[in-house]
Amino acid sequence: MYKNLLDELKSIIKGDVAEDLETLNKYSHDASIFEIPPQIVVFPKDQDDVKNLVKFVSHHKLHTPDLSITARAASTCMSGGGLNTSIIVAFQKYFNHKPTVSGNIATTEPGVFYRDFEKETLKHKLLFPSYPSSREICAMGGIVNNNAGGEKSLQYGKTEDYVHELKMVLSDGNEYIIKPLNEAELNKKIAQDDFEGKLYKNIYELITTNYELIMNAKPKVSKNSSGYFLWNVYDKEKKIFDLTRLFVGAQGTLGLMTEAKIKLVPTKKHTEMMIISLHNLGHLAELVNIILPLKPESIEAYDDKTLKLALKFFPEFAKKLGTRSILTTALKFLPELTLYKEHRIPKLVMQIEFADDHLGTLKQKIADLSEKLRTLHPDTKIAIDDEEKKYWEIRRDSFGLLRGHIKNMYSSPFIDDIVVKPEYLSEFIPQFEAILKKYPSVIGTFAGHVGNGNFHFIPLVDLKNPREQHLITKICEEVFELVAKYHGSSSGEHNDGWIRTPYMHLQFSKQILELFEETKKIFDPHGIFNPHKKVDGDLNFAMKHVRTSW
């Protein structure tokens, strides 16, 4: 389709420009349910390549309307955010230099794997606490652009709280430093008679003119990756205007990130974990409310199906723990194996982890929690020695345990990231399960960040079956309506992408959706960056591109 443009594109890019079928096929899918082949994949070598590419697309957009750019790092996006029918910008090949750490700030590029980023920060006894459960395979570009969160977000918050500064290539093809501005700095930006000045002026006016409407639209949950975070940009009390808060979680729809400065926190020396086994969920919300005041680092959970799979396929699971002896591992799992044999597996397993530099403080918190739980009589256990590792492995691999043992069905994230306030969980979960029971062919495991009210349900579906594909849209409609009923978010971590953008009207008002559209126009007037995410969702197109082969 772009044959007439290819030679020109290759002449301005120092990196690689690929159009072979093998590359296009590789970049036609990510961790989502979609398969959308691009026309070209560009591997930019440096910032000049990124700037030249944006200028190239902007210049040719008028005569080639479908021309656009979608950024991509490690391809782990579960919402289809890295898929596009036009040009994919793949950052992992060249934008992967070793991060640098200065003070509590790490400077990184979008193609750096989180696992490599963490190796460098840990040398300084520092940690980026908002890493997701895909920590071994995801990259920093996706973490920033999806507003990633994970098991430590309960105490530390999400990525939006840790981005200190960004370098972004915007739609005029120039690279800008984006950072918090005080009132004087903001007024100076607005006074500029250039692209940057007009951008700041327009977005400032949009936010201040609609300030109350925007602030009232802020999701009433502790984790959200849906929409544009307009409510986070302008702090009226401190008079700070921070556009990093808008680019974080924008899925590359407003510009291309080339570098990020990330704030870090000190690591803690000690951890203690309590395990709570629930045979019914009637006291779940009450339990969470008892636990939260003690300020645990995480409250995670997984369901009975997850635990059953870990035990059913125990030898394979033991290998994932890295233990040399299956017998040794079996002894550690003896209580769970006994429950499995006696058909007494709990409906939900909660793991509450505390972290501190002082072991005595942790012991006291565990003792305080045990005392507070006495009236509810739950089954509790303290993880000793290296037992914490086995519980974390089950939690982090809750979905992989299922995916690896069901034939002819495929991982299908579409209601995988719902969030409601924790106090609603006892009401919400039975209603959520009632929706799923209407569709018995859709099976899956249930796990999540209970302390945030953020649950992941990633079912296996026969995506080759048109009838099963049709169920996806029906279930999405019902589940997202239920989430809206409890004033939650359809995405706590995984973002909108192709799958959730068409349903954003269930979470946000018409006026807010119009402000999202205006925000997109301010930053990207010609629509060159990652179309059909955040605004202008196209459900029909998306469902015609459901992946049917692996």
Side-chain angles (χ1 to χ4, degrees):
M1 186 184 296
Y2 300 151
K3 295 296 183 184
N4 57 322
L5 303 176
L6 205 56
D7 289 341
E8 181 184 348
L9 181 59
K10 289 180 177 179
S11 71
I12 63 170
I13 299 296
K14 297 191 290 291
D16 308 320
V17 178
E19 55 170 333
D20 60 283
L21 290 178
E22 182 179 354
T23 301
L24 298 184
N25 180 63
K26 177 181 177 181
Y27 286 87
S28 68
H29 43 76
D30 50 14
S32 72
I33 64 173
F34 303 111
E35 184 164 35
I36 301 175
Q39 296 291 316
I40 296 171
V41 180
V42 174
F43 302 86
K45 201 157 196 176
D46 54 24
Q47 286 87 343
D48 286 339
D49 270 2
V50 179
K51 291 188 286 186
N52 288 336
L53 176 61
V54 171
K55 291 174 182 176
F56 170 86
V57 172
S58 295
H59 176 72
H60 289 285
K61 180 72 174 178
L62 180 63
H63 300 292
T64 312
D66 65 333
L67 199 60
S68 64
I69 313 167
T70 292
R72 183 160 162 148
S75 309
T76 59
C77 183
M78 301 177 80
S79 65
L83 302 180
N84 183 9
T85 59
S86 187
I87 298 176
I88 297 293
V89 190
F91 281 100
Q92 199 168 63
K93 187 171 184 178
Y94 295 115
F95 278 75
N96 59 6
H97 296 92
K98 182 186 293 188
T100 59
V101 179
S102 177
N104 71 327
I105 303 292
T107 302
T108 188
E109 293 177 328
V112 174
F113 278 113
Y114 175 76
R115 61 178 185 255
D116 297 326
F117 177 86
E118 187 181 86
K119 286 175 185 175
E120 295 304 311
T121 68
L122 289 179
K123 291 177 183 177
H124 301 264
K125 296 183 179 180
L126 295 169
L127 180 74
F128 169 66
S130 191
Y131 60 79
S133 59
S134 59
R135 52 184 290 164
E136 294 301 317
I137 57 174
C138 68
M140 298 307 296
I143 282 177
V144 172
N145 284 279
N146 278 326
N147 191 25
E151 59 206 36
K152 293 183 185 293
S153 293
L154 177 63
Q155 181 174 120
Y156 291 102
K158 293 189 64 187
T159 300
E160 59 194 311
D161 301 312
Y162 294 92
V163 175
H164 179 70
E165 182 179 298
L166 294 171
K167 285 185 179 178
M168 301 290 303
V169 175
L170 302 184
S171 60
D172 67 336
N174 292 315
E175 185 181 61
Y176 296 94
I177 294 175
I178 310 296
K179 61 182 181 179
L181 303 177
N182 61 33
E183 191 171 23
E185 291 168 330
L186 174 62
N187 289 334
K188 186 177 179 181
K189 289 284 187 189
I190 290 174
Q192 293 175 195
D193 186 21
D194 56 14
F195 175 85
E196 186 183 29
K198 291 175 183 176
L199 185 151
Y200 272 93
K201 178 177 184 294
N202 289 336
I203 198 67
Y204 175 77
E205 288 181 352
L206 182 145
I207 291 173
T208 54
T209 302
N210 301 281
Y211 190 78
E212 293 301 322
L213 177 66
I214 289 170
M215 296 311 294
N216 288 332
K218 183 176 181 177
K220 307 300 189 291
V221 286
S222 59
K223 296 173 79 172
N224 174 68
S225 284
S226 193
Y228 288 127
F229 311 155
L230 292 168
W231 40 80
N232 288 341
V233 174
Y234 186 34
D235 187 327
K236 273 192 170 183
E237 289 187 10
K238 296 179 180 178
K239 296 189 182 301
I240 297 295
F241 195 81
D242 186 1
L243 281 185
T244 69
R245 295 272 182 159
L246 190 57
F247 285 109
V248 172
Q251 283 200 303
T253 60
L254 305 179
L256 299 179
M257 175 187 129
T258 54
E259 184 180 279
K261 293 184 184 295
I262 306 291
K263 290 180 281 189
L264 308 170
V265 301
T267 56
K268 299 294 175 66
K269 293 180 181 178
H270 305 288
T271 60
E272 287 283 325
M273 180 185 290
M274 176 183 281
I275 305 300
I276 300 178
S277 299
L278 299 180
H279 292 275
N280 69 73
L281 303 182
H283 294 298
L284 179 58
E286 189 177 353
L287 273 171
V288 174
N289 287 334
I290 288 173
I291 298 166
L292 285 175
L294 294 172
K295 297 184 178 180
E297 197 168 64
S298 63
I299 307 176
E300 298 292 292
Y302 49 86
D303 66 357
D304 51 350
K305 298 186 188 72
T306 299
L307 185 53
K308 286 176 183 177
L309 284 163
L311 300 174
K312 183 177 180 180
F313 302 105
F314 186 76
E316 178 182 323
F317 180 69
K319 291 179 182 178
K320 291 194 175 192
L321 288 171
T323 52
R324 295 180 180 179
S325 170
I326 291 179
L327 178 60
T328 301
T329 308
L331 289 173
K332 293 179 181 179
F333 275 88
L334 189 58
E336 289 82 9
L337 289 165
T338 301
L339 290 174
Y340 179 68
K341 184 177 180 180
E342 296 175 356
H343 306 288
R344 293 191 296 116
I345 291 291
K347 186 171 181 60
L348 194 73
V349 177
M350 298 173 62
Q351 53 187 59
I352 300 92
E353 185 168 76
F354 298 94
D356 201 280
D357 289 331
H358 303 287
L359 191 57
T361 301
L362 297 182
K363 298 291 186 184
Q364 186 59 53
K365 286 191 174 185
I366 291 290
D368 291 345
L369 179 56
S370 297
E371 179 63 27
K372 290 176 182 294
L373 293 176
R374 285 179 64 184
T375 57
L376 296 179
H377 307 291
D379 293 336
T380 63
K381 174 186 177 181
I382 309 302
I384 59 174
D385 298 329
D386 62 345
E387 278 190 322
E388 293 180 15
K389 183 178 180 181
K390 78 175 185 181
Y391 291 110
W392 276 121
E393 190 64 42
I394 296 174
R395 165 62 187 91
R396 290 167 178 159
D397 200 36
S398 58
F399 176 60
L401 288 167
L402 179 65
R403 177 178 54 188
H405 296 96
I406 307 292
K407 295 181 179 180
N408 301 319
M409 300 183 79
Y410 305 99
S411 58
S412 304
F414 53 91
I415 51 169
D416 50 288
D417 199 28
I418 52 180
V419 189
V420 297
K421 283 187 174 182
E423 56 259 40
Y424 296 141
L425 288 176
S426 295
E427 298 177 36
F428 178 84
I429 291 177
Q431 294 179 66
F432 174 75
E433 290 181 326
I435 292 173
L436 297 179
K437 284 179 181 178
K438 295 193 295 184
Y439 309 100
S441 62
V442 176
I443 60 174
T445 54
F446 196 54
H449 316 289
V450 184
N452 296 106
N454 180 202
F455 273 96
H456 301 313
F457 181 83
I458 308 177
L460 294 188
V461 178
D462 181 5
L463 293 177
K464 293 181 180 179
N465 185 331
R467 181 182 176 279
E468 297 295 294
Q469 287 186 27
H470 179 64
L471 295 182
I472 291 173
T473 56
K474 293 180 68 175
I475 295 172
C476 280
E477 188 82 24
E478 292 185 50
V479 168
F480 295 151
E481 282 182 353
L482 178 63
V483 171
K485 173 184 171 183
Y486 285 92
H487 308 290
S489 172
S490 59
S491 175
E493 302 169 343
H494 301 165
N495 222 291
D496 299 310
W498 282 104
I499 189 61
R500 278 181 283 274
T501 297
Y503 297 98
M504 285 176 60
H505 65 283
L506 297 174
Q507 182 174 343
F508 298 106
S509 69
K510 180 180 178 183
Q511 295 97 318
I512 291 296
L513 294 179
E514 288 173 350
L515 292 180
F516 289 167
E517 291 172 359
E518 186 60 30
T519 299
K520 172 72 170 174
K521 289 177 183 176
I522 289 171
F523 284 86
D524 186 17
H526 304 299
I528 65 171
F529 294 124
N530 208 13
H532 305 297
K533 290 88 174 182
K534 297 293 182 182
V535 299
D536 192 29
D538 191 338
L539 185 61
N540 288 332
F541 176 89
M543 295 312 296
K544 288 178 181 176
H545 289 80
V546 170
R547 188 176 181 184
T548 58
S549 62
W550 265 254

